[in-house]
Amino acid sequence: MRKPVIAAACFLLLLAAPVSSVGVADPADLLPARVDGWAPGEADGRYDGGTLWDYIDGAAEVYRAFGVREVVARRYLSPHGADIVADLFDMGSPAAAYGAFHFDAREGEGAGIGRESELLGSSLAFWKDRYFVSVIPLEDSAAVREAVLAIGRSVALAIPGDGPPPRLAGILPPGGLVRGQVHYFRGSAILALLSPLGRGSALALHAGTEGILARYRAGGPTRPAVLLLVRYPEAREAARAAEALREAMGGVDGDGSGRAADGGWLAVRCEGELLLAATGAGSREEALALVRDAAQRNRETGGGRDGSLPLDR
Amino acid sequence: MGACRWIAETTRREFLKGLAGAAVATALPVPIAPARPASAAQQDGVRVVLVRDRNVLDERGRPVAGVLARMLDDGVAALAGVRDPAEAWRGLLSPDDTVGVKSNAWSYLPTPPELEEALVRRVRGVGIPSGRVSVDDRGVLGDPVFRESTALINVRPMRTHHWAGVGSCIKNYIMFSPDPPSWHEDSCADLGGLWDLPIVRGKTRLNVLVMLAPLFHGKGPHHFNARYLWRYHGIVVGRDPVAVDATGLAILQEMRRRHFGAEEPFAVPPKHIATAERKFGLGVADPARIRVEKVGWVEGALI
């Protein structure tokens, strides 16, 4: 009797485990003990979703919305340089780690660390597998930057897995995509922070929805266009949301496009469980092309289920 | 005041130019709230003092204690319109006061301890014993000096902020609330209401907005990147927290304009400053009614 119970429990655990991600016994082991004269000056801070407010002033809600499991915060000190704060976020899945990294616009240079990285001044951020990593020095200098990069490389090397980006990212049309402004979200909290599109009730986002908001150079002369993709658990939810969005935007023509009050062109359509909306486009054709191309890629990739972006920034 | 120091008034045109840019860039929405009747100060206008000294930071950007203390003295004296800082402090506090110095402990850009120490020295100089002055941030509600305080001094660095647009003197009182997250809604627009809490109301004698190296832009979990620290070498001193913050906001916006080469809206509009005047009558946010008195180094003042 016991064996079937154990087998069932193991099966359930496998189902619950994030796809293509590798956990480690203690995430703190991923952080180096010492780098270039910098060494931990105090005991690590350890936080979970319930205590992250104690550590992060303001932005904790972002990581909580992605389901952060644990954060290890280590402060490195050196007698000759500024303190460096390394935060390792175990986000629970590669998609959530991708989302944590991409919450901010990423317009700095890549550092070739992890799946995607950004080095801005002497501050480094990257994601790899289920981990999002932020390494921030309190001062900006060449020596500090080298230490920051050494910490980042050490952590990336210690993370055993790689992990794919969320499948939705794979169906974004590449032409005109502003790669630094691709934002993945789950539920409603993140999109509300990123865009007015998330501040109304039309999209009816909930814990079972995921989406991606990306900016494109196809916009008007002073701003980029926005492509929003939202995947709902059921097609009828997507259809309802598309209808509500069309109404909220003042209605559209028969081809699903229209002109918003601010002068930008928009288009809304539905493909099964996927809602596709373009706003702020410079013309009707641009708006329609954005949603048409994304819908096409969605079909080509089997509903975005095997897509991936080349992430060698 | 030393011979090398001078006082100049920012022209209204310069200041309006700065604030108008800030208003456009942040697209401050007009809050829908009943306006309070304007106080005499709101009608007549207010004065804040901007003190800058190019020697207040060392080569690594760390505050130089003696210079910073002198800047504080210069600012408080100028604000009071007297030459002697001790006399100015006697106008702010009495020996009977119990004084809470509301600081800010954010680890990436805290209130400089050197400034906290200078403030406490001046408070003690009025004749207030050490047991009736306390410096605190997150523990103010449990601090007996703050609970029994008759006077508050508000001191914090200016920075951009993930929820509120900017971390300001107005926002610095959020730790007087037993439920700080309850003030986060709508970009923390109603932070001016904090100043009506019983532990706060009517007690603030001085606001010091630290702008030695303000954070003019941020990103990431902590909204901090040393690249976005602007070595400005200044402090803004005033009785009116709204006017102090509005002045700091104008400076921060000009930093953003110069760094990014164009108007760069804050990720979150810092609407709580204008709302503090319009809805709560806390002070003056309208640049046309704020007179900025400059003391010390004027090059690169940005307003």
Side-chain angles (χ1 to χ4, degrees), chain B residues 63 180 227 236 278 288 301:
Chain B
R227 186 187 203 194
V236 181
R278 197 174 293 115

Side-chain angles (χ1 to χ4, degrees), chain A:
Chain A
M1 192 65 189
R2 177 175 278 184
K3 278 185 180 173
V5 171
I6 293 172
C10 289
F11 179 67
L12 288 173
L13 280 173
L14 279 173
L15 283 181
V19 177
S20 303
S21 72
V22 181
V24 295
D26 184 351
D29 294 341
L30 298 172
L31 292 164
R34 174 180 284 271
V35 165
D36 293 347
W38 270 262
E42 55 200 40
D44 292 344
R46 308 290 291 247
Y47 308 91
D48 59 24
T51 59
L52 198 54
W53 290 111
D54 298 335
Y55 179 54
I56 296 180
D57 177 16
E61 190 53 44
V62 172
Y63 308 97
R64 285 162 46 88
F66 281 114
V68 62
R69 294 188 179 180
E70 184 175 10
V71 178
V72 182
R74 182 170 294 175
R75 195 177 186 102
Y76 294 89
L77 309 182
S78 163
H80 307 298
D83 294 4
I84 297 172
V85 179
D87 294 326
L88 179 81
F89 292 69
D90 179 354
M91 300 302 299
S93 72
Y98 175 97
F101 176 82
H102 278 281
F103 174 75
D104 288 293
R106 296 296 179 186
E107 289 153 335
E109 293 293 314
I113 295 174
R115 285 300 301 258
E116 284 180 285
S117 59
E118 181 188 53
L119 182 67
L120 197 59
S122 296
S123 292
L124 172 71
F126 71 92
W127 76 276
K128 187 183 180 197
D129 201 73
R130 57 197 271 183
Y131 300 98
F132 166 61
V133 181
S134 162
V135 189
I136 302 173
L138 299 196
E139 292 175 23
D140 204 356
S141 72
V144 169
R145 191 173 307 128
E146 286 308 310
V148 165
L149 288 169
I151 291 170
R153 290 190 194 103
S154 175
V155 175
L157 195 63
I159 295 172
D162 209 15
R167 291 156 179 164
L168 276 176
I171 62 176
L172 289 172
L177 176 64
V178 182
R179 287 198 167 265
Q181 297 200 30
V182 175
H183 308 287
Y184 175 71
F185 60 89
R186 288 175 176 172
S188 60
I190 301 295
L191 187 61
L193 293 170
L194 291 170
S195 165
L197 286 168
R199 289 174 203 144
S201 57
L203 291 173
L205 300 172
H206 55 76
T209 52
E210 63 168 349
I212 205 156
L213 181 142
R215 292 191 166 84
Y216 280 80
R217 293 191 195 89
T222 60
R223 60 175 185 178
V226 170
L227 177 62
L228 174 70
L229 309 176
V230 183
R231 189 180 300 287
Y232 293 83
E234 296 185 29
R236 60 184 176 183
E237 283 187 75
R240 273 200 302 268
E243 190 54 40
L245 193 57
R246 289 184 191 109
E247 275 185 34
M249 291 179 160
V252 296
D253 299 333
D255 61 0
S257 70
R259 193 155 202 183
D262 64 0
W265 287 91
L266 61 95
V268 180
R269 70 186 281 179
C270 215
E271 289 272 323
E273 303 96 8
L274 187 65
L275 175 144
L276 308 95
T279 65
S283 68
R284 182 193 300 273
E285 291 70 29
E286 284 178 351
L288 286 169
L290 273 176
V291 296
R292 183 190 61 231
D293 292 351
Q296 175 69 20
R297 290 175 64 86
N298 181 47
R299 286 191 295 273
E300 289 171 357
T301 59
R305 285 177 173 74
D306 60 352
S308 63
L309 278 176
L311 297 175
D312 52 352
R313 299 175 66 234

